[in-house]
Amino acid sequence: MSPETMVEDITGLLEVWVAGWAGCRGYRTSTEGRFPAVLRADTSGDWEFFASEPTDDEFAALAAKTAEAPARVLTILTNDIPRYSALAERHGLNVTSASQAMMIVDMETQDAEDPWLPDDDLTHSTWEQDGVHYAEVRSGDTLAASGRVFVVGETAVFDKIITEPAFQRRGLGSFIMRALAAQAFEHDVQEGLLLASADGRKLYSHLGWTTVSHVLMLSASHEGSDLSLS
């Protein structure tokens, strides 16, 4: 499936991303209605439900499941934030994040070669475990940057792309993305997917990624956070 075709099917895109994201983290998956759900065993210990442009009735059903426990999260892919923010208020949910976005890239535009580190004091390593490809950059024993990627069909799902504060603005985010892309090309991949923060979007846009949907996170709790970025 080409990136253009995937963008026309946001629900299908969401399903692929959830499968890859859960694969990256070893999460158990399920479904709620026609949409995916993931058990966040390592963080909240409860379910996160996902939906793309749900109907009012679908939203009501998902909101009811989410409201059963304060640790539960409902994540909506939408380009109509006001509509779903209003529905959330109507069903007693709070907006915990509206700053993220789903992004996609045609992998043919990405560099297939292993990248070079920008500084001689840095070293890098890559490895694969249980289908997850990892990349790390270190300065001595100190972790400087890291990330992972999991391939679902012809889609590479990138996750946990992190540059530690002391090592930011040295091009390490780009390095990690290229190192992961080189590993993803061990598979027959056509497109890449990821969930990006507002700051991350600048990096990924520079690397050729395109925003396809905004992400709205909702919870019955008033102490929600960007769980999908943690």
Side-chain angles (χ1 to χ4, degrees), residues 180-202:
L180 292 173
Q183 292 187 83
F185 280 118
E186 296 175 10
H187 308 264
D188 184 17
V189 292
Q190 291 192 12
E191 59 279 324
L193 280 177
L194 56 73
L195 196 69
S197 65
D199 288 339
R201 239 176 292 173
K202 299 173 185 176

Side-chain angles (χ1 to χ4, degrees), residues 125 127 133-138 143-149 159-164 172-173 175-177 179-180 204:
S125 59
W127 70 97
H133 296 275
Y134 297 86
E136 273 188 2
V137 174
R138 289 184 175 271
L143 181 64
S146 59
R148 60 186 72 176
V149 65
D159 183 41
K160 280 186 171 287
I161 312 302
I162 299 170
T163 301
E164 301 302 325
L172 297 187
F175 177 91
I176 289 292
M177 289 296 293
L180 292 173
Y204 306 130

Side-chain angles (χ1 to χ4, degrees), residues 4 7 12 16-17 25 41 51 55 80 85 111 119 138-139 149 152 158 182 196 218 221 228:
E4 292 79 11
V7 170
V16 171
W17 176 80
R25 303 185 180 210
T55 65
D80 190 352
S85 296
D111 193 344
D119 297 294
R138 289 184 175 271
S139 176
V149 65
V152 179
F158 294 74
L218 309 167
S221 170
S228 292

